[in-house]
Every structure is written in C-alpha cells, then in structure tokens.
Amino acid sequence: MKKRFIILTLILILILIPTNIFADNSLRISRWTIDSTLLENGDLSIIENITFHFNGSFNGVYRDIVLHKTDGIKGLSIFEMISDEEIEYTLDPKAKKGDNEVYNVDLKGSDANIIIFSPSKNESKTFRLKYTINNVAIKHKDIGELYYKFLGEENKTIIDYFSATINLPNFEKNMIKIFGHGPLNGKINFTEEDLIKLEVTDVPLNTYVEARILFPLDYIPNSTNIKNRDLEEILNEEISYEEKIATSAQKKEKIKN
C-alpha cells in the first residue's frame, strides 16, 4: 500500500510540474528587431528578424502575430537568414514534426498562430518574417492613431533584446506624440532618421510590448478605419495609464520595504 502511495505521489508531482520549466536554458531569443512602415491607407507593413538560440533539439519555433482590432494579415512570407541570404520557406498546411523549410498558419481567434518547421540542435538561427497588418491606424475626430501590440502576452520565450522602429508617411516631430507600453525598463524615442524607435531588454515570458502613436489626420488620408474619439480623450487615457503604473510601482516598493 505504501509503495502504491509513493508511485501516485510521484505521478502527481510530474503532472504539476510546468512544461516550460526549462524554458530559460533550452530556448531563448537573443535579438528581435522589427521595422514597420505605416501606409497612407492605415495598413502597417512589417519586416522582422528573430534570432533564436537552441540549447537541445527542437522541431522549430512559434510566432503569434496580434491581429486584435485590425482587419487581419496579408502577404506573409518567411525566410531563414543564412550568411545574409534569404532562404524562403513554403506554406504547408499539412506540415508535421521533422519537416524542414516549411510553415503553417492558424488564423483562428485574434492572432495569427505561425509554426515554423526547422529542426535545430544546439545552434542559432535567424528567421525573417514579412507581412502587412490591414487597417491598423485609426482616423479619429481630430487626430490619427497607430495603436499596435508588436509583441503579445502569448510569447513563451525570454527575449534578450527587442526593438521596433516605426516609419510614418510624413514626419512633423512637433505634431507627433509617442507612447510605449510594456516593461518599465523599455523606452520609446524619436531617432535622427525621422523614425520612432521602441526598445527594451530582458523581456520576460508572457509580456507585451506596444506603441501608441498620435499624428495629423492627413498622414492616413485613405484609411477607412474611422472612430469617434478625440485627442483630449486619448491623452487623458494615457495620463490614467501612467498614474496606474506609478501606483503599482509604489505598492511594490512598500511590499519590498
């Protein structure tokens, strides 16, 4: 009876151990860079490079692209970068473990769930994704807005460095307002190349990174995504967000003390 009890206890322990307990050591992303361009019709064109470090054997990697509050994704293509050369992967809805240089996409829900099949063992690989998110930018009463989550909470891999640059159709710095949401060590700034850059280091699991950009309406003249908000309402929302973050930080400090 005692022996059966020990066996049952061991089974319960194994069931309760989280499956990603070794995630820190087995798979990580050393560098994830995104270059995005906002188009005059409100679409967002994106090129991203993701470098994975595989410690052990893997069949490939996952990438979840956030589509919430957009009209979906188009023009997706995936490459592996080898000596600065693009090796294009093929879309295969029937791809399975062990296959190579193929990928599949599940568009159910508010994300595009991508599986990239590329058997890897104790090595590093960089994948390049090119795609366009439809109808992201919004035309409000008196302001244009790009509010997009470049990295969603679904991410299950630690990221050493993450950045996203945003290129607008026009650039009048004094007419543009920028906000970044995510880890507190992140920052968002204007660059000398008339770009907006969002960057953060040491991004933990299940953590989002997003940017909110406000600009003149004539930047997106062909957008059909029209809402009824105004600049003052949006700025008040950002003030409330900052106050919430500050309050949360104070509470954490009190707990530490």
Side-chain angles (χ1 to χ4, degrees):
M1 183 71 182
K2 187 176 180 182
K3 196 174 289 185
R4 285 183 62 192
F5 176 77
I6 292 171
I7 292 171
L8 286 170
T9 302
L10 286 171
I11 290 171
L12 283 171
I13 291 171
L14 288 171
I15 290 172
L16 291 172
I17 290 176
T19 56
N20 63 346
I21 192 168
F22 301 112
D24 287 359
N25 297 321
S26 59
L27 179 66
R28 67 188 302 114
I29 295 172
S30 62
R31 188 173 181 84
W32 186 335
T33 61
I34 295 176
D35 294 317
S36 68
T37 300
L38 181 63
L39 308 180
E40 291 187 351
N41 65 353
D43 291 353
L44 189 65
S45 176
I46 290 176
I47 299 175
E48 59 181 63
N49 293 320
I50 313 173
T51 300
F52 290 87
H53 285 296
F54 302 94
N55 184 10
S57 298
F58 293 80
N59 284 293
V61 295
Y62 294 91
R63 167 69 171 115
D64 292 334
I65 298 175
V66 178
L67 301 179
H68 183 57
K69 294 184 178 180
T70 76
D71 284 348
I73 186 173
K74 65 182 178 184
L76 174 66
S77 55
I78 296 176
F79 309 84
E80 183 181 344
M81 301 302 298
I82 300 177
S83 301
D84 293 327
E85 182 181 352
E86 294 180 345
I87 307 301
E88 187 166 8
Y89 279 35
T90 304
L91 176 63
D92 183 0
K94 296 181 180 180
K96 59 186 183 299
K97 290 181 179 180
D99 290 347
N100 192 22
E101 296 187 6
V102 294
Y103 69 95
N104 62 32
V105 184
D106 184 357
L107 294 175
K108 293 178 182 177
S110 58
D111 296 332
N113 307 121
I114 302 168
I115 304 177
I116 303 173
F117 294 86
S118 180
S120 309
K121 183 177 181 180
N122 299 328
E123 59 185 310
S124 296
K125 287 184 178 181
T126 298
F127 298 100
R128 174 171 291 174
L129 285 71
K130 299 180 182 180
Y131 55 93
T132 298
I133 303 295
N134 298 324
N135 228 7
V136 185
I138 302 170
K139 292 171 76 172
H140 293 292
K141 289 180 180 178
D142 57 356
I143 198 74
E145 178 189 32
L146 171 64
Y147 196 175
Y148 184 65
K149 192 172 286 185
F150 288 96
L151 179 67
E153 296 95 329
E154 301 81 6
N155 177 57
K156 303 298 182 185
T157 309
I158 289 176
I159 305 168
D160 295 335
Y161 175 80
F162 179 92
S163 74
T165 59
I166 303 156
N167 181 29
L168 299 176
N170 296 297
F171 195 87
E172 302 161 275
K173 188 175 178 179
N174 62 325
M175 302 291 288
I176 302 169
K177 300 184 184 301
I178 58 177
F179 306 92
H181 302 157
L184 295 182
N185 65 323
K187 55 187 177 180
I188 186 168
N189 294 299
F190 294 103
T191 72
E192 295 178 358
E193 295 80 19
D194 291 344
L195 297 171
I196 298 160
K197 187 170 187 178
L198 177 70
E199 57 184 342
V200 60
T201 57
D202 302 321
V203 184
L205 309 178
N206 308 116
T207 303
Y208 71 89
V209 179
E210 65 184 10
R212 191 177 207 175
I213 316 297
L214 304 176
F215 45 80
L217 282 171
D218 59 9
Y219 282 21
I220 49 171
N222 302 323
S223 173
T224 57
N225 191 357
I226 300 172
K227 306 294 182 184
N228 203 32
R229 306 184 71 188
D230 57 35
L231 176 60
E232 183 179 1
E233 181 183 354
I234 294 172
L235 292 179
N236 286 335
E237 191 172 88
E238 283 299 318
I239 291 171
S240 297
Y241 177 85
E242 290 184 8
E243 290 174 346
K244 183 179 178 181
I245 294 297
T247 301
S248 177
Q250 289 172 1
K251 287 181 179 178
K252 287 181 180 178
E253 190 61 31
K254 284 182 180 180
I255 292 170
K256 283 183 181 180
N257 293 333

